[in-house]
Amino acid sequence: MKFLKDVDFKNKRVLLRAGFNVPIENGIIKDDWRIRATLPTIKYILKQPKSKLVIISHLGRPDGKANPDYSLRVVADRLSELLGKEVKFIEDILSPEGDNIIQSLGEGEIALVENIRFYPEEEQGNEQFAIEISHHFGVFVNDAFCDSHRAHASISVIPKFKPSCAGLIMEKEIGELTKALNPPKRPSLAIIGGIKIETKLPVIEELAKVYDIILVGGKIGIEAQEKNIKLQENVILPEDYVDGKDIGPKTAEKYAKVIEAAAFAVWNGALGKFEEVEYAAGTMAVFNALCKADSYKIAGGGETVEIIQNYKKNDCFDFISSGGGAMLEFLAGEKLPGIIALEENA
C-alpha cells in the first residue's frame, strides 16, 4: 500500500474520498470532528506544487436518489471556513457543469462533490460509474477509513483504474488498530457495548483470544444472556441492570475497577441508553474510569465518539477511530474492501 509520502502530487488533479458523514440537524452540523480530522490530508495535497483537489463523500442513506436532506453543501461551507478559502461545490459530477468546474480548477483550488450516494451506482460498486467519476484525475486518495468496509464504487473500485494511496487518517487507523489486534501492554482490556449483537459478537469472540478481559454492556449484554450465548471465560457480562436499559451500579463499580488496572484498553459502544439521563450512569462510570486510567487507550464508534466529543475529552485517549462498523470489522480480523483495493492496486 502507498501513502501520501510515496506519491508525487505535483501538477496533478487529485480525487480524495473523505468520510464526511457528519451529524446534521436542521441544516446545522452538530459535530464537525470528521471534517477537521481530514484537514491534514487536504492541506498536505494542496501544498504540493500546482495540485488541485476534488473531494467526494457520502452523507446518510439517501437510497440512490437526490435528496436535499442529505446534501453536502453545508459541509462545503464548513470546510471553507476551516480552510479559510473557497471550496467550490459540484452539484452533479457527471454533468457538463461538473466537468467544467473540475477542469477549470486552478493551482491550490478545491471542490467538494454533492453526496456520492445520490447515484445508485455508488452502492452497487459499478465499475463504469467509478471510471466516469475518476477519469479527470491523476491520483486517487482514500482517507475514508470509516467507509472502507463497504465495497462501493468510490471506495474499492476506483483504485482499479487510478494510481492510489491512503490518506493520513487511513494510515493512522491501520497502524493503531493493527496494534490493537495484538495489545503490546498487559493487562489488556476491551469494552464492547451497543445494541447489535450480530455486529459485536464476532469482535468479542476475536478479541477474547488475545485480550485478558472483555467487558460487555448495552443491549448486546442482555441479548447474550437471554439467548444463552456461550462466550469465552474472559468475557464478563453485567450482573445487574437499570430497567434493562443500562448496566447497574454493581456492574459499573466492578467495571471501573477493572479499567483502573488495565495497561491497554479499547472501547467501542455505549453501555446503556445514554442519551436518556436516567440510563446514562453506567456509560459515564466507564467513561470517567477510562479518562482517569493510566493506560494506552483507543476508542471508536459513533456513540463512543459522540460521548468523548460532548465532554471534550479527546486528550484522554491516545487514539480515536473515525470508524464504527469499519473499526469493528477490522478488529474482528476481517479485510476491509477499501484497504484491499489500496493494497492490490498501489
Side-chain angles (χ1 to χ4, degrees), residues 20 22 24 29 35 55 71-90 110-114:
F20 289 164
V22 296
I24 296 175
I29 297 172
I35 302 173
I55 304 174
S71 175
L72 281 171
R73 187 175 288 276
V74 65
V75 173
D77 293 340
R78 181 57 182 147
L79 190 56
S80 291
E81 293 172 2
L82 292 169
L83 290 171
K85 65 190 300 180
E86 180 190 9
V87 174
K88 300 176 188 295
F89 190 69
I90 300 172
I110 179 173
L112 176 66
V113 177
E114 180 60 283

Side-chain angles (χ1 to χ4, degrees), residues 156-171:
S156 63
V157 185
I158 291 177
K160 294 180 181 179
F161 307 106
K162 291 291 171 181
S164 304
C165 70
L168 296 175
I169 291 175
M170 181 73 81
E171 182 177 7

Side-chain angles (χ1 to χ4, degrees), residues 78-181:
R78 181 57 182 147
L79 190 56
S80 291
E81 293 172 2
L82 292 169
L83 290 171
K85 65 190 300 180
E86 180 190 9
V87 174
K88 300 176 188 295
F89 190 69
I90 300 172
E91 292 191 12
D92 182 358
I93 194 171
L94 301 182
S95 70
E97 293 79 12
D99 263 0
N100 184 54
I101 293 173
I102 292 169
Q103 294 189 68
S104 63
L105 283 176
E107 179 178 351
E109 290 192 325
I110 179 173
L112 176 66
V113 177
E114 180 60 283
N115 194 338
I116 202 68
R117 284 192 183 173
F118 282 0
Y119 305 91
E121 296 89 348
E122 162 66 3
E123 294 187 73
Q124 292 165 4
N126 186 285
E127 286 198 356
Q128 186 57 41
F129 177 69
I131 292 170
E132 288 174 357
I133 62 176
S134 65
H135 74 281
H136 285 308
F137 302 91
V139 181
F140 172 69
V141 179
N142 184 356
D143 213 22
F145 173 82
C146 55
D147 303 316
S148 287
H149 57 315
R150 306 294 187 194
H152 294 172
S154 68
I155 293 292
S156 63
V157 185
I158 291 177
K160 294 180 181 179
F161 307 106
K162 291 291 171 181
S164 304
C165 70
L168 296 175
I169 291 175
M170 181 73 81
E171 182 177 7
K172 185 75 169 173
E173 292 272 6
I174 293 171
E176 290 290 335
L177 295 182
T178 297
K179 188 188 302 179
L181 288 174

